[in-house]
Amino acid sequence: MQTLLHICCAPCANQCIEVLRGDHYDVTGYWYNPNIHPFTEYRARRNCLREYAQAIELPLLERDDYGLRPFVRAVAEDIDNRCVKCYEMRLFETARKARELGFDSFTSSLFISPYQNHALLRETAERAGAEYGVTFLYRDFRPWFRTGQEKARELGMYIQKYCGCVFSEQERYQKPGKILR
């Protein structure tokens, strides 16, 4: 069974790939993350994934769009509830690509993060699968999160400190209402 795995970053993906391969899925990675900013962060995550995919012989497809403007337009009206728009952008595109290329299913490395809204993420992926007529392969990868982080450190991978968007970076580095100097 061929599945398209949306990948947010190599540290989050390494255990997802191992679990899926262990379950006898033929996995292809898919990079599409218009939410990641600034460009230096986007490039660091993408390049790390490229190197890792090559090292483990993972086929990798890329929609290499640095999407600052489309992402900001999509979330501008409700920044506090931006995650649903972010999930929609990435998962609907992954489902569309899976359908276009004839994959049996799709999923995402986002399902490994204990920091994501898991229920919202799953609901969004189910809607994307239904819209594009491709099976959403649900896996709760969270039990492997720490193992994946440890492996990323062992391999010397670039490990980010925030989810990806400029708003999550701000939340990571400063308390609300305070300006760091």
Side-chain angles (χ1 to χ4, degrees):
M1 188 162 203
Q2 294 186 325
T3 194
L4 186 62
L5 173 66
H6 165 264
I7 298 176
C8 59
C9 64
C12 285
N14 71 64
Q15 291 303 292
C16 302
I17 295 163
E18 285 191 25
V19 168
L20 292 170
R21 284 179 168 176
D23 289 343
H24 307 289
Y25 285 93
D26 182 10
V27 181
T28 297
Y30 186 49
W31 170 262
Y32 176 63
N33 295 291
N35 61 304
I36 299 173
H37 308 289
F39 182 72
T40 53
E41 181 73 17
Y42 176 90
R43 184 179 54 213
R45 293 185 196 195
R46 183 201 59 205
N47 292 351
C48 178
L49 175 60
R50 284 176 176 171
E51 291 173 16
Y52 183 62
Q54 184 176 15
I56 64 166
E57 298 181 1
L58 175 75
L60 180 63
L61 304 173
E62 295 182 32
R63 179 169 166 193
D64 196 16
D65 295 347
Y66 176 66
L68 177 62
R69 286 175 176 80
F71 176 77
V72 171
R73 275 190 217 102
V75 303
E77 290 185 26
D78 192 4
I79 291 171
D80 291 336
N81 294 302
R82 67 191 176 272
C83 295
V84 69
K85 292 293 186 187
C86 181
Y87 295 161
E88 287 172 349
M89 289 177 85
R90 295 188 285 170
L91 296 174
F92 275 74
E93 169 58 18
T94 303
R96 185 198 68 73
K97 183 58 91 173
R99 171 68 184 238
E100 174 189 314
L101 298 176
F103 283 88
D104 300 305
S105 61
F106 76 99
T107 191
S108 176
S109 64
L110 292 166
F111 285 99
I112 202 167
S113 175
Y115 305 108
Q116 299 297 327
N117 181 333
H118 197 89
L120 179 60
L121 189 59
R122 184 175 183 177
E123 184 270 328
T124 303
E126 288 170 349
R127 283 190 294 115
E131 181 167 318
Y132 287 99
V134 63
T135 301
F136 162 57
L137 176 64
Y138 175 69
R139 289 288 187 278
D140 183 355
F141 297 114
R142 288 177 291 187
W144 292 277
F145 179 75
R146 294 288 172 223
T147 304
Q149 294 296 296
E150 289 169 12
K151 183 173 182 174
R153 284 183 189 88
E154 287 171 15
L155 295 173
M157 288 181 180
Y158 171 75
I159 299 175
Q160 63 279 1
K161 308 256 186 292
Y162 60 97
C163 181
C165 76
V166 294
F167 308 108
S168 68
E169 181 185 28
Q170 177 190 21
E171 289 167 359
R172 165 70 171 86
Y173 290 109
Q174 86 178 44
K175 304 272 186 217
K178 306 267 184 184
I179 297 176
L180 299 179
R181 300 199 191 279

